[in-house]
Amino acid sequence: MPSFDVVSELNAHELTNAVDQANRELSQRFDFKNTGAAYELEERTVTLKAEVDFQLKQMLEILKLRLSKRGIDLNYLDVKDPQITLATAQQQVLFKEGIDQDTGRKISRIIKDSKLKVQAALQGDKVRVTGKSRDELQSAIQLLRASKLETPLQFNNFRD
């Protein structure tokens, strides 16, 4: 039976490239010269370091611009509150990955309510959609793309 997987995966290579580009832009901007402002990437967390709060806001906008230019959906971002001390300001940006249980149930409900002849099964952090024809599966993909979920979705592992 034909099937595909609905996943929410972050391209780690593109994330690294976006952070590198943002750091390069900081080093070239006049208002950030010799301030010690930088982005640090560890696993799925980017730490913004600057001297004052308003620089963090500018840095966040630079990071968002670089991410969107590299094709990373901004819905992955989970921006934490800034931590400000007398000498420095820091802010963490987490990247959410995978489909949680609630989102998986929403996806299953959307597919079930559409009256398409496909079944959706939640399997860990992905949803497997199976059906009898390729056309039904493509209709399910179009339906999910049109639905406004706060989690970015990708469709992979399409089997005939």
Side-chain angles (χ1 to χ4, degrees), residues 16-35:
T16 304
N17 288 340
V19 171
D20 288 343
Q21 284 181 345
N23 269 325
R24 219 172 298 126
E25 183 174 337
L26 278 187
S27 67
Q28 294 174 354
R29 282 185 52 163
F30 179 76
D31 53 344
F32 283 101
K33 289 261 187 201
N34 299 324
T35 61

Side-chain angles (χ1 to χ4, degrees), residues 15-16 19 39-47 49 90 92-95:
L15 175 62
T16 304
V19 171
Y39 299 96
E40 292 180 3
L41 175 65
E42 297 173 12
E43 295 294 317
R44 297 279 187 255
T45 304
V46 176
T47 305
K49 294 185 178 185
Q90 287 188 359
Q92 289 194 335
V93 179
L94 304 175
F95 289 87

